[in-house]
Amino acid sequence: MVKTIAIDGPSASGKSSVSKGVAQELGYLYSDSGSLYRGVTWQALRKGVDVQDAAAVVECMYEAEWDFFVQEGATIFSIDGDVPVQELREKDVRESVAFVAAIPEVRKFVVESLRSLAAFGSLVMEGRDIGTVVFPDSPYKFYLDADPKERAMRRYRELIAAGEDEKADEVMKSLQQRDKIDSTRKTDPLVVASGAQVIDSTSMTLEEVVRTVVNAVKEK
Ligand code: DC
């Protein structure tokens, strides 16, 4: 039977590393739902669409041809034949994605696309609304959290390692702004799903968090 493991939580709470680790341990596919919101944003930006113009973003999203497939243990997608990966992490996308992810039509398209990925097999999917909206019936729901300062430091270190020229206090501010938009938006805000196990990773190692999730899944 296909299983879907939902791992939700705020930015830089460790969802990606944990989800990849759990997927590898269990032999499931890793699926990054945020990359789809980033993909819609990237497509709008490269087409010169104003991301504050919801109707234009939605039109641009539906005009594009989307294909979903599996590569190296993960679900990925192409937009009009291109597979954006590094592009999705760039600053322009990062700064606009929370606005795009707040557009109800965009959420509808992304949620339907994410559900269709279960056809590829069992998944570990990370996001903000996987346990509440995408797979609400999954018995495997986790909410990963960490102290905001720790999250900002993790994100700062990631950006510096990626060669970006960022200041720690600006990373903290931008993270706070994203947290606010993600948790207060009208459609599918970030909340703890009912039945989700909350894991505070502030003082846990990655291995400890992965083990906690894998053990909880095996015990069900
Ligand atoms: O996880 P991330 O940083 O790649 O997410 C990018 C944006 O998309 C962020 O603003 C939150 C939003 N998002 C969402 O609203 N719902 C999801 N399931 C995943 C991401």
Side-chain angles (χ1 to χ4, degrees):
M1 199 186 70
V2 168
K3 288 184 187 166
T4 48
I5 300 179
I7 303 197
D8 290 305
S11 294
S13 56
K15 296 188 302 293
S16 302
S17 311
V18 169
S19 302
K20 284 178 192 160
V22 172
Q24 202 169 17
E25 280 275 313
L26 296 172
Y28 291 4
L29 295 169
Y30 162 68
S31 191
D32 171 12
S33 66
S35 70
L36 262 169
Y37 292 101
R38 289 171 182 262
V40 176
T41 308
W42 176 72
Q43 178 72 357
L45 290 171
R46 75 168 171 163
K47 292 282 175 188
V49 169
D50 174 4
V51 290
Q52 307 276 352
D53 182 345
V57 171
V58 170
E59 191 184 332
C60 169
M61 175 184 80
Y62 281 125
E63 264 173 11
E65 191 180 315
W66 295 77
D67 274 312
F68 296 87
F69 48 99
V70 169
Q71 201 173 72
E72 293 171 7
T75 61
I76 57 168
F77 56 87
S78 63
I79 313 175
D80 288 339
D82 297 316
V83 180
V85 179
Q86 206 38 51
E87 295 85 339
L88 302 181
R89 304 278 138 199
E90 278 165 13
K91 197 168 181 169
D92 53 348
V93 171
R94 204 161 68 224
E95 286 179 348
S96 299
V97 65
F99 298 104
V100 171
I103 302 171
E105 273 287 325
V106 169
R107 301 204 68 81
K108 192 165 162 267
F109 168 79
V110 170
V111 168
E112 280 165 13
S113 304
L114 293 171
R115 286 185 183 141
S116 75
L117 298 178
F120 291 124
S122 292
L123 305 168
V124 181
M125 188 175 282
E126 62 152 305
R128 304 291 191 290
D129 63 343
I130 311 307
T132 49
V133 178
V134 182
F135 297 121
D137 298 331
S138 169
Y140 313 106
K141 299 182 191 179
F142 300 87
Y143 186 94
L144 215 56
D145 210 349
D147 178 76
K149 278 203 194 107
E150 170 65 19
R151 291 194 285 116
M153 278 318 291
R154 287 179 189 171
R155 180 52 49 91
Y156 173 68
R157 284 193 294 262
E158 255 169 42
L159 292 169
I160 294 298
E164 299 229 11
D165 179 24
E166 290 282 347
K167 298 207 169 51
D169 57 339
E170 279 171 18
V171 173
M172 179 81 185
K173 248 194 262 162
S174 138
L175 204 74
Q176 280 169 338
Q177 195 197 11
R178 280 229 273 160
D179 279 357
K180 192 162 171 227
I181 299 175
D182 289 340
S183 54
T184 58
R185 65 165 176 247
K186 285 206 183 78
T187 314
D188 313 335
L190 171 67
V191 289
V192 179
S194 87
Q197 178 174 340
V198 179
I199 302 172
D200 184 338
S201 73
T202 308
S203 50
M204 288 170 86
T205 65
L206 171 61
E207 289 70 28
E208 284 169 338
V209 184
V210 169
R211 181 75 16 232
T212 304
V213 174
V214 168
N215 287 345
V217 170
K218 286 185 175 164
E219 273 165 23
K220 291 237 178 205

